[in-house]
Amino acid sequence: MLDYLGEIALYFFAAVAGIQIFYYLFIFSRVAFYRRKFNLDRTPDGAFSVIICAKDEELNLQKNLPGVLQQRYHHHMKPGYEVIVVNDNSEDDTKYYLRSIEPGYPHYRHIEIKQPAKFIPGKKYPLSIGLKGAQYDNVLLTDADCKPSSTYWLSIMSQGFEGDKEIVLGYGAYHKKPGFLNKVIRYETFFGALQYLSFAMSGMPYMGVGRNLAYKTALFFKQKGFTSHQHLASGDDDLFVNAAATRKNVGVVIDKQAFTYSEPKQSWKSWFRQKTRHMSTGKHYRFGHKFVLGLFSLTHFLFYPAFIIGLLFPPPLLWYVLGIFGLKVLIQSVITYSAMRKLDESDLFKLSWLMDIFMVLYYIIFTPALLFKSKNRW
């Protein structure tokens, strides 16, 4: 009887590990071994509108907006891009700062929203206003608390629009700070990017992040904006991409000079609130996307309990369990390390296995957010 149960446990563990290995070898390896190089001296193909929505963001704008306004992006239409800041009913001195810098930047303007949009929570309404006011066909989105990693951010992101690409996904990172919470936030951000960037390169794009996301305004209006999910506070980035993306119209840009960096949350409570709000949109993804993401999460969740059960059985079953575990560890380590180098998160590798186990707890904590309605807030 023990041998029979042992064989069942071994087959189960092998199946779980095999699915995980498949994801790492055939999907996540696309970020790990991303090879594209970008030409910093290339003449841009088209003009861009960079759009930032702000609500009570005076200090963040003072710190980060100059980096957006001073991009090296020039073609026959100088400077080749405009920056639009949409001020959404701010109660601080945001409007005074936005007015004060207009004389120094002819390619910059701001839009004031003085009345809140009824029944449209979050930033979907101000973002729609910004998109309608955009002068150019290509838009690049970021947030007020985000700073481009270099003056080539716009130039490199623009190179994602090649052929029939209508959406370009970038990486929105968080600043490196002391403390365990910072490492958790950055690892979770890396882990999420590993998935959405890899799936996009595999022909199954399912989301992007508004901290670093570009698309065509024509695509936005073709999708009728955010109409299908305008009642949700979140989703101005991931749900839009989930609805508008196809196998062929999404490009991916991975370059350290094209990242954006944001300030991470300073407390577990505020981070938990942020992640709960973001996770609540996942239930609105297409069924196929929910299935492949759910299969990965489920096997990831089951891997360690199945391994522990496998350790309880005597040889030779134990040797098989250890062999499968070792193979999975080797493949995952190589791909994780390579992907972390691409996304400039290599310092996290020494904690990657602790974080990988932590993700099991992450699923337990945040999966219930899929069952509840998100709160109507920015």
Side-chain angles (χ1 to χ4, degrees):
M1 183 67 176
L2 185 62
D3 290 341
Y4 178 71
L5 292 176
E7 288 185 10
I8 294 176
L10 174 62
Y11 292 145
F12 179 77
F13 177 64
V16 167
I19 293 172
Q20 286 280 295
I21 290 172
F22 174 87
Y23 275 88
Y24 276 93
L25 278 180
F26 297 103
I27 299 178
F28 302 154
S29 62
R30 295 173 187 266
V31 167
F33 304 117
Y34 184 92
R35 299 294 184 192
R36 182 174 178 182
K37 301 295 182 182
F38 296 93
N39 183 3
L40 300 182
D41 298 321
R42 171 180 167 179
T43 301
D45 294 329
F48 265 79
S49 296
V50 180
I51 301 176
I52 300 171
C53 295
K55 186 177 182 67
D56 299 327
E57 296 279 11
E58 179 192 4
L59 296 180
N60 279 325
L61 288 168
Q62 290 178 1
K63 182 168 59 175
N64 301 317
L65 187 55
V68 177
L69 292 168
Q70 296 164 13
Q71 290 293 299
R72 299 183 184 183
Y73 192 84
H74 300 278
H75 65 358
H76 66 281
M77 297 178 61
K78 295 184 178 182
Y81 76 106
E82 65 172 350
V83 177
I84 302 173
V85 179
V86 184
N87 182 18
D88 182 23
N89 296 280
S90 293
E91 297 179 358
D92 62 0
D93 290 334
T94 294
K95 65 179 179 180
Y96 300 112
Y97 171 70
L98 294 178
R99 290 173 186 171
S100 71
I101 64 172
E102 279 190 329
Y105 298 100
H107 60 299
Y108 155 77
R109 56 195 170 94
H110 74 280
I111 299 172
E112 291 275 352
I113 297 179
K114 299 180 180 179
Q115 295 293 330
K118 294 182 179 180
F119 312 115
I120 307 179
K123 66 177 183 179
K124 291 175 182 174
Y125 177 69
L127 182 52
S128 298
I129 295 297
L131 284 158
K132 289 177 181 178
Q135 182 179 352
Y136 303 122
D137 296 332
N138 306 309
V139 296
L140 177 57
L141 309 180
T142 190
D143 289 339
D145 66 342
C146 294
K147 184 175 183 178
S149 59
S150 79
T151 55
Y152 293 103
W153 166 60
L154 175 55
S155 177
I156 296 173
M157 286 295 291
S158 73
Q159 294 178 46
F161 285 112
E162 288 189 342
D164 54 0
K165 304 304 183 188
E166 299 177 286
I167 300 172
V168 179
L169 309 180
Y171 182 48
Y174 284 98
H175 289 295
K176 299 175 183 178
K177 306 278 186 179
F180 184 65
L181 174 60
N182 178 262
K183 292 178 175 59
V184 169
I185 292 174
R186 287 172 47 225
Y187 181 83
E188 189 274 335
T189 301
F190 156 78
F191 196 65
L194 177 65
Q195 295 178 64
Y196 75 75
L197 294 173
S198 294
F199 273 104
M201 287 187 279
S202 302
M204 190 178 286
Y206 69 91
M207 69 163 280
V209 293
R211 301 189 300 275
N212 199 2
L213 173 66
Y215 48 77
K216 302 281 188 180
T217 54
L219 179 67
F220 177 79
F221 294 116
K222 179 182 177 181
Q223 292 291 318
K224 298 182 180 179
F226 306 121
T227 304
S228 62
H229 48 86
Q230 67 180 16
H231 59 290
L232 302 174
S234 298
D236 53 272
D237 46 12
D238 61 341
L239 291 184
F240 175 77
V241 172
N242 195 264
T246 68
R247 291 178 59 87
K248 297 182 178 180
N249 75 341
V250 177
V252 168
V253 169
I254 300 176
D255 188 288
K256 294 177 183 179
Q257 296 192 80
F259 297 163
T260 61
Y261 284 89
S262 305
E263 288 294 329
K265 297 297 184 182
Q266 299 297 312
S267 71
W268 290 94
K269 183 178 180 181
S270 58
W271 178 66
F272 178 84
R273 195 162 50 235
Q274 179 190 53
K275 292 310 303 178
T276 301
R277 187 171 68 251
H278 291 170
M279 287 282 289
S280 66
T281 62
K283 60 177 174 286
H284 300 285
Y285 290 178
R286 300 180 194 177
F287 174 79
H289 298 159
K290 289 190 287 187
F291 177 80
V292 294
L293 292 169
L295 181 62
F296 173 75
S297 299
L298 178 62
T299 52
H300 186 188
F301 176 80
L302 294 173
F303 178 75
Y304 291 105
F307 173 63
I308 293 171
I309 293 173
L311 294 178
L312 301 177
F313 292 95
L317 294 177
L318 176 61
W319 309 138
Y320 290 129
V321 169
L322 292 175
I324 293 170
F325 181 82
L327 178 63
K328 195 257 188 181
V329 166
L330 176 62
I331 292 172
Q332 181 173 337
S333 296
V334 169
I335 292 174
T336 297
Y337 178 71
S338 298
M340 283 182 169
R341 290 188 62 188
K342 288 290 188 303
L343 298 178
D344 198 26
E345 306 285 10
S346 346
D347 62 300
L348 295 174
F349 182 71
K350 58 183 178 291
L351 293 173
S352 60
W353 279 101
L354 174 62
M355 295 296 181
D356 194 65
I357 296 172
F358 172 82
M359 291 305 294
V360 175
L361 179 62
Y362 177 90
Y363 295 136
I364 296 174
I365 295 173
F366 290 108
T367 297
L370 297 172
L371 305 176
F372 300 105
K373 184 178 180 180
S374 61
K375 293 184 179 180
N376 296 341
R377 65 175 72 179
W378 258 68

